[in-house]
Amino acid sequence: MAGFENQAGFNLSSTKLQVVEVNFVGDQFRLVNVDEAYFNDPIDFENDKDTKISALLQGAYDELLIKKPLNCSAVSFTLPFELVYSMQIPFENTLLYQDLIEEFRWELSVLYPFAPAKNLAIQFFEIERCIFNETASALVFAVPRRFIQLLENFCKKNNLRLRFVDNLHLAAERSLSLSNAIVYKGLTLSIHFNNKFLSILFAFNGKPLYFKVIPLKDASQIPDHLIRETHHSSTLKIERSQIEAAFISGDEISGSVVQTLKKVLGLDFILFNPFDKIRPFPQLYENKYYLEKYNSFAPAAGIAFRIG
């Protein structure tokens, strides 16, 4: 595969570090490692000092290396929802790039007055008009530069090269491209959730259409949020019956949760396996994460699969 190199994807959360490593062997890429390590203490990204976060990250990384050293130097990270500010706003591309970034920076400062607006790394995607939305928009993501610098320092210390930093749901969505579950024609829905956030992503013919992150008090709120977000609104002209396929990912999602959402919404959610089409090394057939917890590794897999 042209442009591919051995690489690993890490999913960073407040409680653990997950890794998926992919190596290019012969004429194909192979899955060589799926693992996770818990931090000695949960990370409080808002209040903990960088020195503590770095120490906890290093400790978990060392634990992973003891079990299986990396066979790559290129690594990428997905970050938890609390570290990534996002918004979707009407958009007409009439400004120069830098002026556009400053406009987004101002909008973010209004939406997130507590965020360090002047020190955000900003990325955006243009979303064109289609039958489901009448207005072009921009999907904007921003990460405080201090956390990117923290990851760069971590990589430098460990002789690694940082390639990408991504939103964990976008990375999980990307892993669908190497899953047998994928249906990229028509309107699709994917959700990702943990005990703090629910993330919703609509795509049309494989391209993002609508994205939203919703803070949660507890998991009991998820069905009501999904009922509202999958119905015709001023933002999105959809009906639930138009959804061709629905996918779900997250940490520790049980089959009973999938069945409950299916009953409430009438959607056959697929708890997809991001490793469906990747040939694993034989040792992974004895790996409980690969065999039983594959779905929770969708973000780490998606960022590990990313080429450009």
Side-chain angles (χ1 to χ4, degrees), residues 149-179:
Q149 187 62 56
L150 186 150
L151 293 178
E152 288 180 340
N153 292 341
F154 165 82
C155 289
K156 183 177 181 180
K157 178 180 178 180
N158 291 282
N159 296 314
L160 302 172
R161 176 167 52 86
L162 182 63
R163 299 189 73 232
F164 305 111
V165 177
D166 207 348
N167 173 282
L168 81 167
H169 191 171
L170 291 188
E173 175 82 358
R174 186 178 293 108
S175 72
L176 279 168
S177 64
L178 288 177
S179 168

Side-chain angles (χ1 to χ4, degrees), residues 11 73 80 96 175 205 212 217 228 245 251 260 282 293 300 305:
N11 178 38
S73 60
L96 296 176
S175 72
N205 292 336
K212 187 175 183 178
K217 292 182 180 179
R228 284 192 295 271
D251 202 19
T260 298
K293 294 184 62 177
F305 300 157

Side-chain angles (χ1 to χ4, degrees), residues 25-295:
V25 181
D27 60 349
Q28 62 181 312
F29 61 94
R30 303 280 301 276
L31 182 67
V32 300
N33 193 17
V34 179
D35 205 351
E36 65 183 21
Y38 282 83
F39 302 125
N40 292 331
D41 294 304
I43 295 176
D44 182 341
F45 289 104
E46 182 177 353
N47 297 309
D48 283 346
K49 294 182 178 180
D50 290 358
T51 51
K52 179 180 178 180
I53 297 173
S54 297
L56 291 171
L57 176 60
Q58 186 65 49
Y61 177 72
D62 289 342
E63 182 179 335
L64 292 172
L65 286 190
I66 289 171
K67 290 189 282 185
K68 183 175 176 55
L70 290 182
N71 187 36
C72 67
S73 60
V75 299
S76 300
F77 280 82
T78 64
L79 297 179
F81 289 120
E82 52 262 51
L83 288 187
V84 183
Y85 305 108
S86 63
M87 65 179 183
Q88 187 165 346
I89 59 175
F91 172 70
E92 292 292 344
N93 192 3
T94 57
L95 297 175
L96 296 176
Y97 176 81
Q98 194 55 47
D99 292 334
L100 193 58
I101 292 297
E102 291 308 312
E103 175 68 17
F104 291 150
R105 196 179 304 280
W106 183 85
E107 294 281 358
L108 286 163
S109 72
V110 174
L111 189 59
Y112 302 98
F114 50 85
K118 294 182 179 180
N119 293 298
L120 294 175
I122 297 174
Q123 182 182 30
F124 71 96
F125 303 92
E126 296 184 38
I127 298 178
E128 299 176 352
R129 298 181 183 88
C130 72
I131 59 174
F132 299 110
N133 63 319
E134 297 176 350
T135 306
S137 62
L139 180 55
V140 183
F141 297 94
V143 177
R145 292 187 184 278
R146 61 174 280 237
F147 290 108
I148 296 177
Q149 187 62 56
L150 186 150
L151 293 178
E152 288 180 340
N153 292 341
F154 165 82
C155 289
K156 183 177 181 180
K157 178 180 178 180
N158 291 282
N159 296 314
L160 302 172
R161 176 167 52 86
L162 182 63
R163 299 189 73 232
F164 305 111
V165 177
D166 207 348
N167 173 282
L168 81 167
H169 191 171
L170 291 188
E173 175 82 358
R174 186 178 293 108
S175 72
L176 279 168
S177 64
L178 288 177
S179 168
N180 286 328
I182 188 60
V183 178
Y184 260 162
K185 292 184 178 180
L187 181 68
T188 60
L189 165 69
S190 71
I191 66 172
H192 186 99
F193 65 84
N194 54 30
N195 61 344
K196 293 182 179 180
F197 295 93
L198 166 67
S199 179
I200 299 168
L201 175 63
F202 279 103
F204 182 55
N205 292 336
K207 296 181 179 180
L209 178 65
Y210 173 82
F211 180 83
K212 187 175 183 178
V213 177
I214 303 171
L216 296 173
K217 292 182 180 179
D218 56 65
S220 67
Q221 296 180 304
I222 291 173
D224 287 342
H225 283 305
L226 289 176
I227 288 172
R228 284 192 295 271
E229 294 296 332
T230 56
H231 190 65
H232 190 287
S233 69
S234 59
T235 304
L236 208 57
K237 312 297 183 182
I238 67 163
E239 296 295 341
R240 210 169 296 137
S241 60
Q242 296 172 299
I243 299 172
E244 298 288 341
F247 307 98
I248 186 171
S249 59
D251 202 19
E252 307 293 344
I253 297 177
S254 66
S256 62
V257 169
V258 178
Q259 290 304 312
T260 298
L261 293 179
K262 178 179 179 180
K263 183 178 180 180
V264 171
L265 295 167
L267 296 173
D268 191 11
F269 280 97
I270 299 171
L271 190 67
F272 67 93
N273 185 344
F275 307 127
D276 266 349
K277 292 187 177 180
I278 303 174
R279 186 181 173 192
F281 272 25
Q283 304 92 303
L284 288 176
Y285 289 115
E286 299 178 359
N287 182 314
K288 65 179 180 179
Y289 302 122
Y290 173 77
L291 295 174
E292 301 171 10
K293 294 184 62 177
Y294 47 82
N295 181 264

